[in-house]
Every structure is written in C-alpha cells, then in structure tokens.
Amino acid sequence: MFAKVKTFTLIGISAEQVDVEADIRSMGLPSFNVVGLAEGAVKESKERVKSALKNIDFNIFDRPITVNLAPADLKKDGSHFDLPVAVCLIKASGMIEENLENYALAGELSLDGKLRGVAGILPFVSSLPDKTKVIIPNENVKEASVLKNIEIYGFDNLSEVIEFLNGNKKEAYSEEIVFESGLYDLDFADVRGQFFIKRASEIAAAGMHNILMMGPPGSGKTMIAKRIPTIMPEMTIDEAIETTKVHSVAGLLRDNKGLVQKRPFIITHPTASDVAVVGGGKDAKPGLVSIASNGILFFDEFLEFKKNVLEVLRQPLEDRVVTVSRANRTVVYPANFMFVAACNPCPCGYYGTEKECVCTAAQIQKYRSKLSGPIMDRIDLHVVVDAVDIKELNKLPEGENSLKIKERVVVARDLQKKRFVDEKINYNSQMSEKHIKKYAKISNEAFDTLEVFHKKFKLSARSYMKILKVSRTIADLENSEIVTKKHILEACQYRFDNIT
Ligand SMILES: Nc1ncnc2c1ncn2[C@@H]1O[C@H](COP(=O)(O)OP(=O)(O)OP(=O)(O)O)[C@@H](O)[C@H]1O
Ligand SMILES: [Mg+2]
C-alpha cells in the first residue's frame, strides 16, 4: 500500500515542503530503502524509525519497503524526518484511519518511540497554508504557536500520535503571546560613574554604530556591553520572528522556548573559530553573527582574536546578511547585529593606568597592530575606558537607568526611520558619502570646527566621514535637525586616531 505525508527541509531560515511517500509491498524479500537525496541525520532516520516502530509493536519490516522523499532534487537534512517517515509507514500499512492530506509532521524519535524536539519548527509552520494541522513534539509547541493560523498538536511519543490519528481527539495547542517589556534583569543604573563610556553606548545604540572599548581589567567594559540591549528599542514583531527563526534553525529553542523577545547578546571569545562566528560547517548552520541578529555581537578581548576570524567578519558587517556555503549549497542568513568589542590597552592590561605596565613598547605596538585592520574601518566609535577604584565607585550615586536612556534612543531611531524612508538603509551608521552629503545638515560653524580637527590630527577621509555620521546621531538624540559645533566636538572625542 502507498501513503504520503508532508514535512519540510530547511534552506537558510526558510522551509521547503518535502513529501514523504511510503510504499509497502505485500510480497518479496524484506528490505527498507530511503531514496530522495537524504543526507546526514535523514540517512540515520531509518534505524531510529525501525527501532521505534518495533518497540511499539509495529512489525512491518518483514516486507519490501521503499520511502521516497520528494522532490528528488532537493537535499534533505535534519532529524525531524523520523516522525513523518514513521507515520507514513504506519498509514501505508493500513493502521491509521485519518486522511493525512491536511496534516504536516516533524519530530525526532528515540529508539523507544519518544518524541524529541527539533530545529526549524518556526520556519516550517510559517511555510504552511492556513488551517494546516501540525503534529510536532511537545518540546516545540511554544515556538510553533507564534503563528496563529495553524492548528498545533504536540505529543510526547509516537503511540500518542497514532492514537490521535485513529480518533482519540484532543484540543489544538494555543497560547496568547504577550509582548512583554522590561524583560532585562540588568540596568545601566548599576554602572556607577563612567559617564563617557555610557554616553558612547547610548550613541552607538541610537545610530547602530559599532563600538570598541579599550580599558584596563575590571574597568567595567563587559558590564557595560551587557547592558547595551537594555537601551535599544523593543524588538518589533517582525524582528522577533526573524530572530526566533534563526534561533530555531540553530537548534536553540528545543527546550520548549517560544518567541525570542529579548534582543540577543552574544559574547564571543578569542577561541571561537571562523565557522562558529559566521556559520557553515557540514550542515551550513547559522553562526554567531546570525544568532546575534537584531541584537549585539560582543567580541571580548578583541585584539586576541585570530586574523582569519576578523577577516570573515567583514562581509556580514558590511552587508548585514551572511552567505554560508557548503559543498553545493549556498544559504543566506540575516546578520543585522551591532558589533561591540572590548580590549585591554596592552598585553598586561595596565598601560596608561596608575598600576605599573610591564610591557615593552614593541609588545604594545604589536598588540595594537590589529587596531588598523579592516574591521577597525567598520567601527565608528572608539572609546578609552578609564580604570576605576571600586571603593570610590561605591560612594558614587546610581547611574541613570536604562529606561531613561532608551527614551532618547527611541527618539533618535524614529528620526532615522523618517529620514531614510526612501533609501535602502535604516540607520545613520549605514550612510554612504552620498547620504552624508544629503542628510548630515551641518552648520557652517560646525564645518569649520571639523576642518580644524581634520588638520590638527591629519584625519583620514574615512575618519572624517565617521565623525560626520556619529555627529548626525548625536544631533538626533537631541531631536536637532541641524548638526552643530557641539555635536561635532563630541563626535571627535570618540576616535583613536591620536593613539594608534
Ligand atoms: N562603573 C562601575 N560601576 C559599578 N561596578 C563596576 C563598575 N566597573 C566595574 N565594576 C565592577 O567590576 C566588575 C568587573 O567589571 P568588568 O568585568 O565589566 O570589567 P572588564 O573591563 O570587562 O575587565 P576585563 O578587561 O578583565 O574583561 C563588574 O562585574 C562590577 O562588579
Ligand atoms: Mg571583560
């Protein structure tokens, strides 16, 4: 007998429909073949399905069985094929009554027939026509319920699925998604003093400018970086869905997690490989640049990273998407993150502080050599963070809280949204020279001030443009149409040109 059910395979953060077809012949030698460009986990699916079915007393493997995954020219990967293959076999053997035309299934099986959560469920349900009935592991129902037009049925094991398809009805899962605010446990109020770096973080968040902080150990760089998501505007529903899809494909939502509402904050350490950062590998999975999309990607100990890792960051930083290639497939993932980096001023960490620095001039120069690399060209704000004396700090009052700072950031973001409505960009940091000429709106006095600074520090053309972009954001934070001298003077402070 023949049966067919629907499932999916992933291409980037989209899902393509795959039909699982099973044919069980009544005569012939026992065999079990899966055809249709099955790769990796799908090939192994055969063994899991066989054991799971045997363990729930479905002994159909004494006959010739063929499973086809259509369309044949599309590569299929993922452990979620187990459930559709198993259900299709049971249907083909005549032991399921329900017509499966309106159903779509996905889930991994353990050898004893339990269902395990899988990656890619949100892209899967988003690709289905309205009113489709979806059968998935219970671990994935929260994620699937982000979309309202689909009927979701979650189960813990294969036997329950079969009982359901044979008339043991149950309610579709539904959960009202409440869009929450104030989701963060951290707050800028915890950071005492350090007004300069806090202000730089506000400007960075307002114009989506990448930022590099340089300072001695314990000066609060990591503490501040972690608080930047708390001053960014709330995610829109589209941003939240996009982020959830990436996290789903990366397999981060298996544990019954739903819509990702907090902006991601991803810390990367110098031991990270280039594949871990940009994505790829055997199964073309998204990397940290995509997982951080719509949030922050934080490179701690920035100057300790290997050159090849910094090299591969260039494309996503420029394009805000990343192209991941695997043997004969290329997928594109979003990579719309704000880049935040932190480093020490020298290998021992104390150059320029009251503590004695034990590094030689040559060591310091070598350590800082990466500061002129290609990634530095993509970082608009360079900030020197001063050492702090924790005892003294504790005497200072609490800082301004994240909510207050966020209000100013939101004003600046709204102005940018209006400004760039007819352009292909969204933030001041993305402005090209053409945009800067059109939108910077700099006063004569401000222009003269920039010229003085330009001559004094022999600014490169690139630095000159960055100061203009950053000063546009500073003006936006004040809701000012015109960039004035004050804005230029402040923007000039966020450059390392005088120390590298
Ligand atoms: N401005 C501050 N206000 C309150 N606490 C602070 C401040 N700066 C530092 N601290 C305290 O010091 C701790 C260490 O700070 P943090 O880890 O952010 O330093 P860092 O600059 O990242 O150091 P490293 O270079 O070693 O990574 C923080 O967890 C916090 O408790
Ligand atoms: Mg740190």
Side-chain angles (χ1 to χ4, degrees):
M1 278 223 300
F2 172 84
K4 184 165 114 177
V5 301
K6 286 197 268 293
T7 187
F8 72 102
T9 194
L10 287 169
I11 298 177
I13 58 165
S14 312
E16 287 282 321
Q17 185 181 319
V18 171
D19 290 331
V20 177
E21 303 167 344
D23 184 26
I24 304 180
R25 270 163 283 156
S26 47
M27 305 271 282
L29 290 173
S31 65
F32 182 18
N33 291 312
V34 178
V35 296
L37 280 190
E39 298 209 322
V42 188
K43 279 192 198 152
E44 294 166 2
S45 175
K46 215 164 101 176
E47 297 309 316
R48 285 191 297 270
V49 168
K50 216 169 170 176
S51 290
L53 286 180
K54 280 186 175 167
N55 282 327
I56 60 163
D57 293 331
F58 273 97
N59 288 312
I60 51 173
F61 295 97
D62 54 353
R63 286 165 273 175
I65 297 174
T66 306
V67 169
N68 179 37
L69 308 174
D73 58 352
L74 184 67
K75 289 200 167 177
K76 290 102 189 165
D77 207 349
S79 57
H80 62 270
F81 282 89
D82 296 0
L83 178 66
V85 168
V87 168
C88 197
L89 287 175
I90 301 169
K91 175 78 180 163
S93 67
M95 286 180 275
I96 286 177
E97 288 165 17
E98 184 82 352
N99 177 352
L100 298 180
E101 210 166 294
N102 265 337
Y103 285 86
L105 300 90
E108 181 184 319
L109 285 171
S110 67
L111 299 185
D112 60 355
K114 284 209 181 65
L115 274 172
R116 291 201 176 108
V118 291
I121 288 296
L122 183 57
F124 171 42
V125 292
S126 332
S127 73
L128 294 169
D130 285 5
K131 306 270 179 267
T132 306
K133 297 174 180 184
V134 183
I135 296 183
I136 49 177
N138 261 332
E139 271 182 60
N140 288 121
V141 291
K142 262 191 161 209
E143 171 190 347
S145 69
V146 166
L147 299 179
K148 290 287 154 243
N149 45 0
I150 300 287
E151 279 181 42
I152 300 149
Y153 298 93
F155 298 92
D156 285 327
N157 59 58
L158 181 58
S159 308
E160 284 176 10
V161 176
I162 299 163
E163 282 165 21
F164 171 73
L165 292 173
N166 280 326
N168 189 7
K169 292 293 163 215
K170 73 179 221 165
E171 285 276 299
Y173 178 88
S174 85
E175 185 183 305
E176 206 46 57
I177 292 183
V178 187
F179 229 75
E180 295 175 72
S181 58
L183 289 164
Y184 300 94
D185 311 329
L186 303 172
D187 199 294
F188 258 97
D190 309 331
V191 184
R192 292 164 198 262
Q194 301 291 42
F195 301 107
F196 185 56
I197 171 69
K198 279 198 283 197
R199 172 71 177 161
S201 307
E202 174 179 338
I203 297 166
M208 278 292 267
H209 298 284
N210 300 323
I211 178 169
L212 169 65
M213 304 179 256
M214 183 194 271
S219 55
K221 303 182 293 295
T222 306
M223 182 185 189
I224 288 162
K226 281 184 177 166
R227 283 158 177 78
I228 297 180
T230 69
I231 57 168
M232 294 170 90
E234 303 287 325
M235 283 215 270
T236 61
I237 183 78
D238 290 344
E239 283 177 326
I241 288 180
E242 184 188 76
T243 308
T244 312
K245 280 185 179 174
V246 178
H247 288 210
S248 170
V249 172
L252 302 175
L253 302 181
R254 282 200 188 100
D255 205 7
N256 218 349
K257 295 201 180 85
L259 188 69
V260 177
Q261 295 193 27
K262 271 193 204 174
R263 291 195 181 270
F265 178 82
I266 307 293
I267 299 193
T268 323
H269 295 287
T271 47
S273 68
D274 51 352
V275 169
V277 172
V278 289
K282 183 166 91 2
D283 37 13
K285 283 272 185 226
L288 299 176
V289 293
S290 304
I291 293 169
S293 209
N294 296 313
I296 307 275
L297 181 65
F298 179 48
F299 267 46
D300 213 355
E301 316 296 349
F302 174 63
L303 297 182
E304 316 257 333
F305 276 83
K306 286 187 222 87
K307 254 203 165 131
N308 63 324
V309 176
L310 299 182
E311 276 296 307
V312 293
L313 261 184
R314 282 161 72 167
Q315 187 244 332
L317 272 173
E318 201 70 40
D319 304 338
R320 293 186 188 261
V321 291
V322 64
T323 310
V324 175
S325 301
R326 178 196 161 184
N328 38 12
R329 188 194 303 174
T330 302
V331 291
V332 178
Y333 290 114
N336 184 21
F337 58 90
M338 187 176 131
F339 183 68
V340 179
C343 65
N344 291 334
C346 65
C348 84
Y350 293 102
Y351 179 77
T353 70
E354 282 178 0
K355 271 200 183 169
E356 191 190 350
C357 168
V358 295
C359 309
T360 63
Q363 276 174 325
I364 298 176
Q365 199 179 15
K366 182 160 178 264
Y367 183 75
R368 291 189 181 185
S369 62
K370 282 188 197 131
L371 286 179
S372 52
I375 296 302
M376 283 301 282
D377 289 342
R378 289 161 178 81
I379 301 179
D380 291 346
L381 293 158
H382 306 160
V383 195
V384 176
V385 189
D386 290 330
V388 292
D389 179 341
I390 294 291
K391 270 193 231 122
E392 287 301 312
L393 267 188
N394 286 335
K395 292 182 197 154
L396 291 173
E398 274 200 345
E400 193 177 21
N401 67 26
S402 294
L403 197 65
K404 277 225 170 103
I405 305 174
K406 186 159 99 182
E407 278 168 14
R408 294 193 293 270
V409 170
V410 168
V411 168
R413 285 283 185 97
D414 287 347
L415 283 173
Q416 291 167 72
K417 208 186 268 171
K418 281 192 206 124
R419 174 177 307 138
F420 300 129
V421 71
D422 295 326
E423 307 282 355
K424 288 197 180 79
I425 59 171
N426 302 308
Y427 318 111
N428 290 337
S429 57
Q430 293 171 294
M431 287 196 287
S432 64
E433 245 169 87
K434 186 187 89 192
H435 297 125
I436 294 175
K437 280 202 182 106
K438 192 166 168 192
Y439 298 113
K441 298 203 177 146
I442 172 167
S443 73
N444 288 341
E445 193 192 18
F447 182 74
D448 293 343
T449 310
L450 182 56
E451 282 301 302
V452 171
F453 197 81
H454 183 185
K455 286 201 183 98
K456 187 164 173 202
F457 290 104
K458 298 193 178 60
L459 291 183
S460 65
R462 196 167 259 137
S463 294
Y464 190 89
M465 287 301 159
K466 283 184 180 178
I467 291 172
L468 283 172
K469 284 193 222 179
V470 171
S471 56
R472 178 66 266 169
T473 304
I474 297 172
D476 287 344
L477 279 165
E478 275 183 9
N479 208 349
S480 164
E481 175 75 7
I482 303 290
V483 174
T484 66
K485 179 178 171 183
K486 175 176 87 167
H487 304 134
I488 290 282
L489 282 176
E490 186 178 353
C492 287
Q493 296 175 51
Y494 305 115
R495 303 293 314 160
F496 278 173
D497 302 73
N498 41 356
I499 65 163
T500 53

